[in-house]
Amino acid sequence: MYQILNVFKYFVALLLVGILIGLISLAVVSYRDSDAFLTFRNAYTVETFLTRLRNGDASNPKEHGRLYKVVQALRPELVGKLPKDEDIPYDYRYFSKEVVANFLQDSSASLKVLKEDPNILQVFAPEEKYIAKLLLLSGANDAIARGERTVNGYAKRLEMTGTYTSAFDYPTGLFVIDGDVLNPALQTWDGLVIIDASGTLHIKDIRRLEYNFTEYDIDHSRQDYLNFLNIAKRAKLSIFQTHLLITGGAIDTSPTSDRRFRRRAIFQDQQHRVSVYDSFEEQPTLYELAETLKNNYGATEAVNLDMGPYGYCARYENGIRTKLYFAKGQGIRLSNILIFNYR
């Protein structure tokens, strides 16, 4: 009996050792296939992939998956020493030499420059959570008729006039709040500012308007117009229409305009950052404003905001106004306000 017990103990010990070895092997394999492996001494790099590709060892999903993991954890040391263009297979040359280089551009440095620029009131990078809101105002006291000004958990806010106000003290052009169409009358301007249900702001060209890979010609096709506004209702979009300054990185306003004012604009860049610009003492034309945004800040999309006597703009923290950039004119009734709530 004692001998049988010893044999059983020996068998159990062998079994446990086998299980332990299996777990260690599994952990090693998982580690090598994880992003953590990319920090290992002999890290898999873009160079590694290209070398294996030339040797005929990378024409499979596993190696391409490793390349994708490199991109996910991308930093300069994970590129390696790339061969000359002629030594990189044609179908991988553009990605390896140009796209990877674009990915490695230090956007943090340009973000720091933006935040320190005196003409940039605020910049919102994709990783910095903000919630944009659009309000309809009414009456001499600018009471909120539609929309919500504040968001729980967001102590700071920057607010400003959005689109233009008509002679009837009402927002001009297409105007929608949380899916409710408050002004269906389109204007001639090509700029649309769209705020999605999460509070993220998007600048769109009405001539190239698309949603979920479907294009909508809302100022020519009645059906497209109705379909898009039905989408806005379902998706709880907020929208206003204004002058488009830049679209697709190209200036989209006429150089012939000679009207000079203090200007305010919202623009986006290649890093999908949203920035608010104020010209302050400068009084550019719309074209000069667009040139400044494109040449100085790399704007890819930009729209003009209402200024003059309607050009209200202020900053708040914990409900207290900390900065008034521009007060509305005497007797002016604001019709709308764009708000960025942030932390």
Side-chain angles (χ1 to χ4, degrees):
M1 182 68 180
Y2 180 75
Q3 189 175 6
I4 294 175
L5 185 60
N6 282 340
V7 171
F8 178 74
K9 288 181 179 179
Y10 180 72
F11 175 76
V12 170
L14 286 177
L15 181 63
L16 290 175
V17 169
I19 292 173
L20 181 61
I21 292 173
L23 289 174
I24 292 173
S25 300
L26 181 62
V28 169
V29 170
S30 299
Y31 178 74
R32 288 178 63 87
D33 286 337
S34 71
D35 290 343
F37 180 65
L38 296 175
T39 65
F40 212 62
R41 182 178 178 182
N42 296 319
Y44 193 98
T45 65
V46 177
E47 178 190 3
T48 308
F49 173 81
L50 294 174
T51 300
R52 294 180 65 81
L53 190 67
R54 290 199 307 273
N55 294 337
D57 299 325
S59 300
N60 58 73
K62 182 178 180 180
E63 292 299 321
H64 285 77
R66 286 183 178 275
L67 176 62
Y68 181 51
K69 288 181 182 293
V70 169
V71 176
Q72 288 177 306
L74 192 62
R75 52 188 183 274
E77 59 267 29
L78 292 180
V79 177
K81 186 177 180 180
L82 298 183
K84 297 178 181 179
D85 285 2
E86 58 268 24
D87 294 329
I88 300 176
Y90 173 78
D91 291 318
Y92 297 86
R93 190 177 303 157
Y94 170 67
F95 182 79
S96 302
K97 299 289 285 190
E98 297 188 38
V99 175
V100 170
N102 290 337
F103 289 169
L104 281 173
Q105 285 184 350
D106 185 8
S107 61
S108 61
S110 60
L111 177 61
K112 184 175 184 293
V113 171
L114 270 177
K115 289 187 173 183
E116 293 176 352
D117 191 299
N119 289 102
I120 301 297
L121 301 187
Q122 194 70 35
V123 53
F124 300 99
E127 64 272 14
E128 296 175 331
K129 180 63 178 172
Y130 71 91
I131 297 179
K133 292 284 188 180
L134 187 60
L135 302 182
L136 175 70
L137 305 183
S138 178
N141 295 323
D142 302 326
I144 298 175
R146 286 292 183 89
E148 296 180 359
R149 195 173 215 132
T150 59
V151 178
N152 289 336
Y154 290 77
K156 301 176 182 179
R157 73 178 190 268
L158 178 66
E159 53 184 53
M160 67 212 72
T161 306
T163 191
Y164 314 107
T165 296
S166 72
F168 306 99
D169 297 326
Y170 205 72
T172 303
L174 182 64
F175 194 83
V176 180
I177 291 183
D178 297 332
D180 292 333
V181 180
L182 302 179
N183 189 352
L186 288 166
Q187 252 284 6
T188 59
W189 313 312
D190 293 324
L192 285 182
V193 174
I194 301 177
I195 302 170
D196 64 30
S198 72
T200 302
L201 184 142
H202 311 268
I203 297 173
K204 296 294 182 181
D205 184 342
I206 199 171
R207 298 161 300 183
R208 301 174 181 84
L209 183 60
E210 60 85 22
Y211 190 87
N212 283 348
F213 305 106
T214 301
E215 294 183 353
Y216 295 90
D217 185 5
I218 66 171
D219 53 357
H220 292 93
S221 167
R222 173 177 171 271
Q223 194 58 56
D224 280 3
Y225 170 85
L226 295 175
N227 288 345
F228 179 72
L229 291 181
N230 282 333
I231 289 172
K233 182 176 182 178
R234 292 197 304 270
K236 295 189 177 301
L237 304 180
S238 295
I239 305 169
F240 69 83
Q241 190 177 5
T242 184
H243 282 103
L244 186 67
L245 301 175
I246 298 173
T247 179
I251 294 177
D252 195 72
T253 188
S254 172
T256 60
S257 174
D258 58 358
R259 300 180 65 188
R260 295 185 173 277
F261 295 100
R262 175 179 172 179
R263 305 284 186 179
R264 191 175 300 127
I266 298 176
F267 69 88
Q268 293 178 286
D269 56 27
Q270 283 189 331
Q271 286 75 38
H272 305 291
R273 295 176 295 217
V274 174
S275 300
V276 181
Y277 172 89
D278 196 312
S279 68
F280 291 113
E281 291 80 13
E282 297 292 326
Q283 295 192 351
T285 65
L286 281 179
Y287 186 82
E288 290 170 345
L289 172 62
E291 280 189 315
T292 296
L293 299 179
K294 180 178 185 295
N295 298 334
N296 294 1
Y297 304 104
T300 56
E301 315 291 332
V303 291
N304 188 54
L305 300 179
D306 197 8
M307 284 295 286
Y310 291 91
Y312 161 77
C313 183
R315 191 183 299 272
Y316 290 79
E317 186 165 355
N318 295 317
I320 299 173
R321 191 172 71 194
T322 59
K323 180 76 173 180
L324 179 63
Y325 293 101
F326 201 94
K328 69 173 186 175
Q330 186 71 26
I332 291 296
R333 295 186 177 189
L334 298 178
S335 68
N336 68 100
I337 288 181
L338 171 65
I339 299 175
F340 291 92
N341 292 276
Y342 62 103
R343 295 189 172 105

